[in-house]
Amino acid sequence: MSTTESLAAALADGPVVLDGGMSNQLAAAGHDLSDELWSARLLADEPEAVTAAHRAYFEAGADVAITASYQATFEGFARRGVGRERAAELLALSVERARTAAGGAPGARRPRWVAASVGPYGAMLADGSEYRGRYGLSVAELERFHRPRLEVLASAAPDVVALETIPDTDEAEALLRAVRGLGVPAWLSYSAAGGRTRAGQPLEDAFALAARADEVIAVGVNCCTPQDADHAVAVAARVTGKPVVVYPNSGERWDARARAWTGEPTFSASRVTGWRDAGARLIGGCCRVGPDTITSIARTLRGS
């Protein structure tokens, strides 16, 4: 189902359901994600798998698909021998595949939107540094890194750009500069722990950067624990006055060295009413949150 209603307008009417983790859905379907490109590898090797993952979330009740471009960068593709022109094609393909799934998944009675994922610089490094930030780069250097792929993704006409899993305020500032003039709205979502960004800055300061950014239609957190999300949603709403986006992981912990998840999940769809009441309008899940949980979130928020 296509729509002419903007996502920003929809957020004024009530909660919108995001999808869940792309990587866990692909892994559940039997795909190997051990490559440094992670799920972005399948854009080149098995693009139909990406479409199928998006479709599963739409069928589960999601209103928004986040593209498989989180770890897709010119630099990352170059390390695999993929030239700049082909890399740009794959970035655009990530939007196309999500759009195809939006139109092809059965049972659409609500509008569906596509969010072009832009992960942090550390995602390209594939060494877990997106959970630390502080790469030793200036704001200007980070802006130069992000702007080219943002331009490519924007030209593919997503409904919104998802600036997600951002670990520190320097990178957030760079991204806010980089989205100016693109003609596509954005949301800004930090990775947080204990009321601070992963780099240690207070969330109040981090969210304040986006408060006056006209391009930003929602501010919040993702890929944090559900418990950290409880606190962050209220802070984001208070500091920015904007709709809040929240999509935590399952509550398990990622061991970057072992490249494995540890611990027990703590995500429950019952938490989402609290997030909604605190100001969240874009609600879903990140790593290790699958279609079943998205269905529960959708039913909880829609009352059926």
Side-chain angles (χ1 to χ4, degrees), residues 50 77 270:
V50 175
F77 281 128
S270 63

Side-chain angles (χ1 to χ4, degrees), residues 256-289:
R257 181 170 297 179
R259 297 188 66 80
W261 290 91
T262 63
E264 296 296 324
T266 60
F267 193 113
S268 169
S270 63
R271 315 180 82 101
V272 304
T273 54
W275 297 337
R276 178 199 61 199
D277 294 346
R281 292 297 177 267
L282 279 165
I283 303 173
C286 199
C287 299
R288 308 282 284 181
V289 176

Side-chain angles (χ1 to χ4, degrees), residues 31-202:
H31 299 287
D32 180 8
L33 302 180
S34 59
D35 190 279
E36 286 188 356
L37 287 175
W38 206 27
S39 56
R41 176 187 67 80
L42 295 177
L43 290 171
D45 297 348
E46 297 181 72
E48 279 298 333
V50 175
T51 308
H54 287 311
R55 187 177 295 120
Y57 281 117
F58 280 129
E59 292 174 355
D63 303 313
V64 181
I66 302 173
T67 65
S69 52
Y70 173 84
Q71 208 137 345
T73 64
F74 289 110
E75 294 81 357
F77 281 128
R79 288 200 299 264
R80 289 284 304 275
V82 178
R84 197 168 185 84
E85 183 176 349
R86 177 57 175 158
E89 291 173 354
L90 293 173
L91 283 163
L93 181 63
S94 71
V95 177
E96 177 189 319
R97 286 291 164 176
R99 189 73 70 191
T100 297
R109 295 183 298 275
R110 296 167 55 90
R112 288 170 171 171
W113 295 272
V114 171
S117 173
V118 176
Y121 178 84
M124 179 271 295
L125 300 177
D127 62 359
S129 60
E130 72 261 44
Y131 298 110
R132 301 189 299 271
R134 306 283 87 184
Y135 317 113
L137 300 178
S138 68
V139 171
E141 288 170 323
L142 288 167
E143 181 183 359
R144 285 195 294 272
F145 167 78
H146 284 295
R147 179 74 188 196
R149 67 172 172 153
L150 275 164
E151 290 174 344
V152 172
L153 288 168
S155 69
D159 299 293
V160 63
V161 174
L163 312 175
E164 57 177 356
T165 327
I166 307 307
D168 67 52
T169 55
D170 281 356
E171 190 155 27
E173 184 178 349
L175 283 162
L176 291 173
R177 291 183 187 180
V179 297
R180 290 174 188 159
L182 288 180
V184 179
W187 78 59
L188 175 62
S189 181
Y190 290 93
S191 179
R196 293 178 175 270
T197 68
R198 292 286 186 167
Q201 301 107 345

